[in-house]
Amino acid sequence: MTQPLLNEIADVGRDRRRGGYSRHVFDDADRQLRDWFTARAARAGLGVEADRNGNVWAWWGEPGPDAVVTGSHLDSVPGGGAFDGPLGVASALSAVESLRAKGFVPSRPMAVLVFAEEEGGRFGVPCLGSRLLTGSLAAERARALRDTEGRTLAEAAASAGFPPERFGADTEALGRIGRFVELHVEQGRGLVDLGEPIAVGSTVIGHGRWRFSFSGQGNHAGATLLTDRHDPMLPAAGVVAAARRAAASVPEARATVGRLVPTPGGTNVIASTVDVWLDARVPGGGSRALVEEIAEAARAAAADEGCEVTVTEESYSDDVVFDPGLRDELSATLGGAPALPTGAGHDAAILAAQVPSGMLYVRNPTGISHAPEEFAEADDVDRGGAALATVLERLCQ
Ligand code: HGY
Ligand code: MN
Ligand code: MN
């Protein structure tokens, strides 16, 4: 049963200020969640080991080639919901428990995999653990990533007992995966509109993150005339509207500013610098072109205010199409479950470049995600765990 497992972690990493949950790699909530997963996996008879990149593998049988692997992540966005990530991990544990209870013995190795820092909520790069595992993020760059306190990933990993010098592509671990299936709460209204509880994944829209760093002249809010200002907040604020304007002119495009940080951040202080993070997603690989259009507007606005701006690409993924054979096998195994595209990124989409990967989605009646309102009914939660058990049994026959 999945819901009781989710209930066990319901108080871990609650964010009293933002609402929802803030659970980030190598913080205290993450440590508690890793401990919880390790204990529950051991209770399910699985052998647990962490890999060099901070991902945790729980094996049913000896780790071996052509394994069927399922899992997701336990970290959240700041103020995130209770299901994005944990639903996939709890459903995987529940599926294993129910298969063992009925005496099923897999014909090939099986594992539950928990990825580190899928949201990039602390160090800014999404799917950190799966990108390191697959080699799509350089270990050197990863080690130097900093959180908002200025701590590097290397420092945080070392404090958590993960030697950062071991980060890097893990061909041995990756090579064991024959097929990967991630169950995830749906982050939209597709299943609600279809009146279905479960879907399989078809595609993931390419997406990236860019940092716009504006610099001007810090000064006194009262003693500085408007004509004497070089206020980086002006061009920074312009990115928000420019992003919406640019995206509105491209079908299916999304561009979001969810994070804008002035320095020093005083109420009576003209900022000296402002950092703005842009999340852009355009089907068909158009996000870089969209960002360039926004960057052009930002450079013009910065020049008007006598400020400077630099634009840095912090992460980027192309569109992903999940393995059609696995997609169709998942759908057929689940009685013709519909296939859904998504604009949300996932570790399964990172793995898809190197191993046949697929996804199962569980209905979210609110259609809201990355917010406390994210939800899945208990019946659908259990339907998801049962669907995953059916799929794992089929793939491991
Ligand atoms: O941002 C995303 O799409 C995912 O939730 N990390
Ligand atoms: Mn998410
Ligand atoms: Mn997720």
Side-chain angles (χ1 to χ4, degrees), residues 47-376:
V48 186
E49 61 179 13
D51 68 17
R52 67 173 59 161
N53 295 303
N55 307 304
V56 186
W57 302 65
W59 285 94
W60 183 349
E62 280 307 302
D66 200 25
V68 171
V69 180
T70 183
S72 192
H73 60 98
L74 292 171
D75 67 298
S76 72
V77 294
F83 298 86
D84 177 351
L87 181 63
V89 175
S91 300
L93 289 169
S94 167
V96 166
E97 285 178 341
S98 62
L99 289 171
R100 292 182 82 96
K102 64 185 258 189
F104 175 73
V105 178
S107 64
R108 64 183 79 235
M110 189 198 290
V112 177
L113 175 52
V114 178
F115 289 102
E117 180 86 333
E118 189 276 341
E119 297 292 3
R122 180 173 179 187
F123 291 100
V125 173
C127 298
L128 184 75
S130 51
R131 288 176 196 263
L132 281 168
L133 170 67
T134 57
S136 59
L137 172 68
E140 209 45 48
R141 176 167 175 236
R143 280 189 279 265
L145 292 172
R146 288 186 185 276
D147 65 13
T148 51
E149 314 290 317
R151 283 196 85 191
T152 64
L153 173 62
E155 291 160 349
S159 316
F162 292 91
E165 61 276 12
R166 297 198 61 230
F167 282 170
D170 193 338
T171 47
E172 186 188 356
L174 187 64
R176 292 189 184 123
I177 305 178
R179 283 178 287 187
F180 178 76
V181 178
E182 178 171 4
L183 181 143
H184 205 282
V185 66
E186 193 203 339
Q187 295 170 296
R189 294 184 48 82
L191 280 168
V192 174
D193 296 344
L194 286 172
E196 294 273 352
I198 305 286
V200 299
S202 55
T203 59
V204 173
I205 295 178
H207 55 281
R209 299 182 184 188
W210 286 262
R211 189 178 75 250
F212 287 57
S213 298
F214 294 89
S215 57
Q217 179 54 61
N219 216 324
H220 193 297
T224 315
L225 293 177
L226 297 187
T227 48
D228 297 337
R229 294 184 178 204
H230 302 297
D231 181 354
M233 192 65 95
L234 262 295
V239 174
V240 179
R244 173 61 71 92
R245 208 170 32 251
S249 64
V250 177
E252 290 291 298
R254 304 114 210 251
T256 311
V257 171
R259 189 173 160 220
L260 181 151
V261 179
T263 299
T267 302
N268 57 350
V269 177
I270 299 170
S272 50
T273 63
V274 181
D275 283 314
V276 180
W277 280 268
L278 174 69
D279 176 310
R281 312 188 188 205
V282 182
S287 51
R288 281 175 168 147
L290 185 73
V291 171
E292 183 43 38
E293 183 184 335
I294 299 165
E296 236 173 79
R299 283 190 280 269
D304 287 351
E305 183 65 23
C307 293
E308 306 280 323
V309 62
T310 59
V311 181
T312 310
E313 182 175 284
E314 294 197 333
S315 70
Y316 179 77
S317 308
D318 282 318
D319 286 359
V320 166
V321 178
F322 286 120
D323 181 276
L326 178 57
R327 178 202 62 209
D328 295 345
E329 186 172 3
L330 294 176
S331 175
T333 305
L334 298 174
L340 279 184
T342 184
H346 299 284
D347 292 306
I350 298 295
L351 261 60
Q354 306 204 31
V355 297
S357 297
M359 291 197 71
L360 300 184
Y361 296 123
V362 173
R363 177 166 47 194
N364 169 352
T366 69
I368 294 171
S369 185
H370 285 187
E373 296 87 346
E374 178 184 275
F375 187 66

